[in-house]
Amino acid sequence: MKKLIFGLILIAIIFGTIITKNPTTAKSLELLNVSYDPTRELYKDYNNEFAKYWQKKTNQNIKIKQSHGGSGKQARAVIDGLQADVVTLALAYDIDAISKQSKLLPANWQSRNLNNSSPYTSTIVFLVRKGNPKKIKDWNDLVKPGVEVITPNPKTSGGARWNYLAAWGYVMNRELKSLNKINNPVYAGEVKKAEAKAKAFVSDLFKHVPVLDTGARGATNTFVQRRIGDVFIAWENEAFLAINELGHDKFEIIVPSVSILAEPPVAVIDKNVNAHGTRKMAEAYVKYLYSTAAQRIIAKHYYRPVYPKFAKAEDMKRFPRVKMFTIDKVFGGWKNAQKKHFDDGGIFDKIYLTRNN
């Protein structure tokens, strides 16, 4: 009898130790994905798909929580203590900032997944009201007299930074004819003149912006719901969403002559998943974004999948051909672009402070 009691006690101790060492078995599994504004619908759909995949794979039920806002604001929230397991932000610089300022993940985070940890891409287009009453065809039309432009604040919104850089790159491409000149010292004089014209153009552009929302979804609401502005510089997916939710009879998409390749990245926040006991699930959550099922969901929600062959043909047909340049090509990467244009005292600050002059 004593041996039986001792054995039961020993089993209880061992079982208790297993629970203590694996906190995810002691409570319901939860994962927090901190994302940016326009991904709400995408991740609502994806989370359901991943939860079913994970339950089938591990027999574990999980709850995935979402947080949305301007990409820059979301990065700051994680730095300040928001307990993200995963971040899916608008641009690599915001995740670099989390790494640099809080040391929550390593500096080489972008090399841990395919395509520089970007399972989908997008670009920047124009959303105008049906019939295009202001005859917007390209970037230069945004600075015509009487045109009001909606774009969010580059200080808080990743999408706004893509918008700004797309406008700047348009002028560089127009003036230089070949963007290969940018990194060639032979053309340094030409490049300097082109940059001066780009600054003048973007300065003029922001004089046409009546209000700066903190995030892309807020800017969408300003244009769509509040009916402010003649043209909305938008994520391609956000423009499609507005048309398909509100009707083709209200808006249309204008594709500019040149735009920027936007590559929104994803990352696991190492220190947080270690503390939460969610590393395996978080890593799987990020990697599953490259799966056939996830790539189909991505295309369904108007993002461009990195594996188009996995998406439905009818979804891929919606995407127009766009001549795109990369941030590396024109700006030397996000680190350089952020420092030169968006840091405190950078070009954007100078542009915006003087926009009424």
Side-chain angles (χ1 to χ4, degrees), residues 40 111 164-165 273 315:
R40 299 166 194 267
S111 66
Y164 172 109
L165 296 178
V273 297
D315 288 338

Side-chain angles (χ1 to χ4, degrees), residues 79-128:
I79 292 167
D80 290 342
L82 182 60
Q83 292 293 299
D85 297 283
V86 170
V87 290
T88 55
L89 297 180
L91 45 95
Y93 179 83
D94 287 335
I95 304 180
D96 283 338
I98 296 171
S99 173
K100 183 177 180 180
Q101 296 181 42
S102 66
K103 310 299 182 185
L104 291 173
L105 73 165
N108 69 341
W109 63 269
Q110 205 166 6
S111 66
R112 297 195 294 190
N113 291 290
L114 298 171
N115 196 46
N116 288 324
S117 290
S118 294
Y120 44 84
T121 65
S122 191
T123 191
I124 304 303
V125 297
F126 306 147
L127 187 68
V128 299

Side-chain angles (χ1 to χ4, degrees), residues 3-129:
K3 288 183 178 180
L4 178 60
I5 293 171
F6 178 78
L8 291 172
I9 293 171
L10 183 61
I11 290 170
I13 292 171
I14 292 171
F15 184 69
T17 301
I18 291 171
I19 291 177
T20 302
K21 288 186 177 180
N22 186 4
T24 61
T25 63
K27 59 181 181 180
S28 61
L29 286 161
E30 289 188 354
L31 189 81
L32 174 59
N33 175 8
V34 173
S35 196
Y36 65 108
D37 264 336
T39 61
R40 299 166 194 267
E41 295 78 14
L42 165 62
Y43 280 108
K44 181 180 179 181
D45 207 354
Y46 174 71
N47 290 346
N48 290 333
E49 172 64 31
F50 179 77
K52 288 187 289 185
Y53 160 78
W54 190 253
Q55 201 281 331
K56 185 176 180 180
K57 179 181 175 68
T58 67
N59 203 32
Q60 293 176 328
N61 293 316
I62 61 172
K63 181 178 181 180
I64 304 168
K65 295 182 177 180
Q66 287 294 130
S67 172
H68 294 276
S71 186
K73 287 185 68 177
Q74 293 292 80
R76 172 48 57 186
V78 174
I79 292 167
D80 290 342
L82 182 60
Q83 292 293 299
D85 297 283
V86 170
V87 290
T88 55
L89 297 180
L91 45 95
Y93 179 83
D94 287 335
I95 304 180
D96 283 338
I98 296 171
S99 173
K100 183 177 180 180
Q101 296 181 42
S102 66
K103 310 299 182 185
L104 291 173
L105 73 165
N108 69 341
W109 63 269
Q110 205 166 6
S111 66
R112 297 195 294 190
N113 291 290
L114 298 171
N115 196 46
N116 288 324
S117 290
S118 294
Y120 44 84
T121 65
S122 191
T123 191
I124 304 303
V125 297
F126 306 147
L127 187 68
V128 299
R129 306 196 189 281

